[in-house]
Amino acid sequence: MIFLAKIGKMFISFLSSIGKVILFLLNALFNGVMPPYYWRQIAQQAVQIGYFSLPVVGMTALFTGMALTLQCYSGFSNFTAESAIPSVVMIAMTRELGPVLTALMVAGRLGASMTAEIGTMRVTEQIDALTTLSVNSYKYLVFPRILTGTIFLPFLVFIYDIIGILGGYIVGVYYLNFNAANYIRNTFESMAAWDIFSGLIKGAVFGFIICLIGCYQGYCSKGGAEGVGRSTTNSVVASSILVLLLDCVLTFVLF
């Protein structure tokens, strides 16, 4: 009975956590859509999420595309199927690697930053000060981050796809001695609009989840600097796990 009681306690705690996140999201959305709007906050978050994430996303895409091309060549050459490498690289990038790796990089960089920033404001009572000044903290801190994360992560995914495919082209043409015209033709022949669009849908969902978890963990931080560090760790871990879980679910739904 003690074992069953522990399981029941964990299950109830899990449901309670989900309920708190849902209520937090509803508060953020309800307050965010009501005027006044903090356009400066939205613009600042757009720069933070979109522009400053480009270097890490671009380097990850380039090296991933190069490594994927080499691995495909290593396997496909055993079956004389080297001509399929451009198609495989393009499909893998647009469907899976683009949205997933972009989300994981952004979760590590941006999710941790959001949690630390809002968590520090919470433990130093800056959020309480905003409330005293009649500034809605959900509208000012949470909604701009969720909105810009949902909008701009698909753009990062699209840029990741382009750079990743370019990395595969560089290795395929200049290292594996593929014909450049044939490589480009095979890539475009295997390109489908739905492959790209499905990756952008995943990117929007992942961006929404990363920003939601980051803001929630930061907003609920307590216990000083140690609590902020713990919330930051929980944010990155939870965001990464949810990205992988939702990727599996969305793949079943979209394909």
Side-chain angles (χ1 to χ4, degrees):
M1 295 298 294
I2 295 177
F3 176 72
L4 294 178
K6 289 182 178 180
I7 295 178
K9 185 178 180 180
M10 292 173 59
F11 184 69
I12 293 174
S13 177
F14 174 72
L15 293 180
S16 175
S17 299
I18 293 177
K20 291 178 181 178
V21 174
I22 292 175
L23 290 176
F24 179 82
L25 173 62
L26 292 177
N27 275 325
L29 295 179
F30 177 77
N31 290 284
V33 297
M34 298 294 180
Y37 305 110
Y38 296 100
W39 297 110
R40 184 175 181 179
Q41 282 293 107
I42 295 175
Q44 288 178 351
Q45 294 306 315
V47 173
Q48 287 289 335
I49 295 172
Y51 180 74
F52 289 123
S53 296
L54 284 175
V56 65
V57 170
M59 287 189 294
T60 304
L62 183 65
F63 298 143
T64 303
M66 290 179 173
L68 180 62
T69 303
L70 290 173
Q71 292 286 5
C72 289
Y73 182 81
S74 177
F76 289 6
S77 60
N78 296 328
F79 307 98
T80 62
E82 294 89 345
S83 61
I85 291 177
S87 302
V88 172
V89 171
M90 194 281 301
I91 293 174
M93 283 291 170
T94 54
R95 288 189 182 184
E96 291 296 326
L97 295 178
V100 172
L101 292 182
T102 300
L104 292 177
M105 292 297 104
V106 172
R109 177 194 171 275
L110 189 65
S113 174
M114 284 184 182
T115 305
E117 182 180 355
I118 298 178
T120 302
M121 295 181 69
R122 167 61 72 187
V123 299
T124 56
E125 300 182 352
Q126 294 182 49
I127 294 180
D128 297 331
L130 289 175
T131 304
T132 304
L133 296 172
S134 299
V135 176
N136 190 298
S137 57
Y138 288 99
K139 181 191 296 289
Y140 186 78
L141 296 176
V142 179
F143 183 74
R145 288 169 169 81
I146 295 177
L147 178 65
T148 52
T150 306
I151 293 175
F152 281 93
L153 201 69
F155 287 98
L156 293 176
V157 171
F158 186 71
I159 293 172
Y160 185 105
D161 294 341
I162 295 174
I163 297 177
I165 294 173
L166 177 62
Y169 171 84
I170 292 172
V171 171
V173 173
Y174 296 103
Y175 181 73
L176 300 177
N177 296 321
F178 282 30
N179 182 272
N182 289 336
Y183 192 100
I184 295 174
R185 183 176 64 252
N186 291 340
T187 299
F188 278 98
E189 286 179 352
S190 59
M191 184 179 297
W194 179 246
D195 293 335
I196 300 174
F197 188 64
S198 64
L200 300 182
I201 293 175
K202 289 183 178 182
V205 174
F206 296 160
F208 174 80
I209 290 297
I210 291 169
C211 295
L212 173 61
I213 298 299
C215 292
Y216 173 77
Q217 290 289 343
Y219 201 87
C220 299
S221 295
K222 55 184 178 180
E226 182 180 355
V228 174
R230 184 166 55 250
S231 296
T232 303
T233 302
N234 293 337
S235 172
V236 175
V237 172
S239 299
S240 300
I241 293 175
L242 285 174
V243 163
L244 297 175
L245 174 63
L246 289 174
D247 176 64
C248 183
V249 173
L250 290 173
T251 300
F252 274 111
V253 172
L254 297 174
F255 298 100

